[in-house]
């Protein structure tokens, strides 16, 4: 427990009681000792802080100024103590996160590592998957926050942060398209491709563009995990597709090249950080959300 300066407590007590004797009784100190401290404070201030009355004391104008400052300081100290107590509670905290696969192997693990360096006692439970499933878990309070692509608008969803995320073609550095800065989906048509299954939001976007543009692609493989698609691209050279944030790790390593697709329907996607509306969140969750907001801001073009 934080202990405020004794002089602060004594001044406040005397002002509230209107009497040095009554304040001394409440503080369990001798009235002579309390009176001596008030006199010392008045000497330091260079002016009387209390007006002596026949039955008690009353703050002077100078006393009112000092007592107001003292009470503000005591309130700030209590607030700080409360916040410290909350932070101490993080030792036993658990943060439950639902996240898209695009952030499950890079952004989320690195954010957890950064967070636990400051709060080593906090545990994490992370579920990755497709947007609709994760938003459902959020609504059932199975997770406390989600980081997902293009969730459907809902009154139950409180969006904290958004990050624009174009869909990208992922190719090996030796692929004929690897030197391009951007592509249209039609330009991928002549090459082998690997696609996510129809539970993927990115697959639904691709299918819509293909239907509208009358494109035809025969994937060598359809898969339900992003990691399998990336590995297939690495081993075979087939083009796979991923939101930009899910390509950063492989691009940093030089394993794959990420090329944004410029088709209008493929460039409007967003990565959304959200919680259930009106839910009161533990401080461990709130402080982790602050970290995620900061990390997403770093990725904003």
């Amino acid at each position: 427990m934080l202990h405020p300066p004794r002089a602060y407590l004594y001044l406040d007590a005397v002002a509230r009681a209107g009497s040095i004797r009554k304040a001394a009784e409440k503080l369990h100190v001798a009235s002579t000792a309390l009176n001596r401290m008030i006199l010392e404070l008045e000497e330091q201030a260079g002016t009387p802080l209390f007006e002596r009355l026949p039955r008690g004391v009353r703050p002077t104008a100078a006393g009112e100024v000092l007592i107001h400052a003292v009470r503000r300081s005591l309130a700030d100290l209590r607030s700080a103590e409360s916040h410290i107590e909350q932070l101490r509670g993080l030792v036993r905290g658990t943060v439950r996160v639902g996240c898209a696969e695009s952030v499950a192997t890079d952004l989320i693990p690195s954010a957890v590592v950064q967070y636990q360096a400051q709060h080593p006692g906090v545990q994490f439970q992370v579920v990755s998957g497709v947007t609709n499933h994760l938003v459902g878990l959020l609504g059932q309070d199975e997770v406390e926050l989600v980081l997902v692509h293009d969730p459907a608008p809902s009154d139950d969803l409180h969006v904290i942060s958004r990050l624009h995320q174009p869909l990208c073609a992922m190719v090996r550095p030796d692929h004929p398209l690897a030197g391009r800065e951007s592509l249209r989906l039609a330009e991928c048509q002549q090459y082998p491709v690997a696609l996510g299954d129809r539970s993927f939001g990115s697959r639904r976007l691709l299918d819509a563009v293909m239907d509208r543009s009358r494109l035809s692609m025969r994937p060598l493989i359809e898969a339900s995990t992003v990691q399998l698609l990336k590995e297939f691209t690495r081993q075979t050279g087939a083009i796979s597709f991923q939101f930009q944030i899910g390509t950063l790790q492989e691009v940093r390593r030089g394993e794959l090249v990420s090329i944004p697709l410029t088709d209008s329907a493929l460039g409007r996607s967003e990565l959304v950080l959200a919680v259930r509306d009106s839910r009161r969140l533990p401080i461990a969750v709130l402080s982790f959300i602050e970290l995620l907001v900061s990390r997403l801001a770093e990725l904003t073009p």
Side-chain angles (χ1 to χ4, degrees), residues 5 30 37 46 50 58 63 74 103 108 114-115 160-161 181 197 211 246 270 284 294:
M37 176 166 279
F50 291 95
R58 180 172 59 202
L74 290 172
V103 297
I108 290 296
Q114 181 181 348
Y115 185 83
I160 296 170
S161 184
E181 292 187 0
D197 66 28
D211 288 345
E270 292 181 317
S294 174

Side-chain angles (χ1 to χ4, degrees), residues 40-255:
E40 289 174 359
L41 290 171
E42 289 179 324
E43 184 178 352
Q44 292 171 21
T47 186
L49 300 175
F50 291 95
E51 181 184 355
R52 270 64 176 179
L53 304 172
R55 294 188 178 181
V57 296
R58 180 172 59 202
T60 62
E64 291 282 4
V65 170
L66 183 57
I67 290 163
H68 178 72
V70 162
R71 288 175 177 169
R72 188 168 59 243
S73 297
L74 290 172
D76 288 344
L77 191 62
R78 285 193 294 269
S79 177
E81 184 175 35
S82 174
H83 194 64
I84 289 170
E85 286 297 318
Q86 287 179 315
L87 291 174
R88 289 174 60 194
L90 291 177
V91 174
R92 295 180 296 276
T94 300
V95 179
R96 299 176 299 167
V97 182
C99 67
E101 277 198 80
S102 61
V103 297
T105 59
D106 190 1
L107 176 63
I108 290 296
S110 64
V112 170
V113 169
Q114 181 181 348
Y115 185 83
Q116 288 182 326
Q118 296 295 320
H119 309 294
V122 179
Q123 297 178 321
F124 282 78
Q125 296 174 0
V126 180
V127 181
S128 65
V130 297
T131 295
N132 289 343
H133 174 64
L134 295 174
V135 171
L137 293 180
L138 184 69
Q140 298 163 17
D141 291 336
E142 294 295 323
V143 296
E144 290 141 336
L145 66 139
V146 293
L147 190 58
V148 294
H149 294 281
D150 301 316
S154 169
D155 291 338
D156 294 331
L157 204 63
H158 175 61
V159 174
I160 296 170
S161 184
R162 299 177 184 271
L163 179 66
H164 173 245
Q165 280 294 290
L167 194 62
C168 297
M170 294 192 74
V171 299
R172 287 199 319 206
D174 60 355
H175 193 279
L177 297 175
R180 296 287 298 276
E181 292 187 0
S182 64
L183 288 171
R184 294 187 65 82
L185 186 60
E187 296 177 271
C188 302
Q189 187 175 210
Q190 61 178 303
Y191 300 101
V193 299
L195 297 178
D197 66 28
R198 285 177 170 78
S199 68
F200 280 37
S202 57
R203 175 62 184 273
R204 290 192 291 274
L205 291 174
L206 291 168
D207 284 347
V209 171
M210 285 190 283
D211 288 345
R212 247 189 334 268
S213 305
R214 297 184 180 179
L215 299 177
S216 176
M217 290 187 181
R218 294 186 60 189
L220 297 181
I221 188 172
E222 295 185 39
S224 62
T225 71
V226 169
Q227 283 304 109
L228 193 155
L229 293 170
K230 290 179 180 179
E231 186 59 33
F232 193 80
T233 293
R234 276 192 288 261
Q235 292 193 25
T236 69
I239 301 173
S240 58
F241 302 92
Q242 177 58 263
F243 291 109
Q244 191 172 50
I245 198 166
T247 71
L248 301 180
Q249 188 176 59
E250 288 75 19
V251 170
R252 282 197 304 268
R253 294 172 178 169
E255 298 171 349

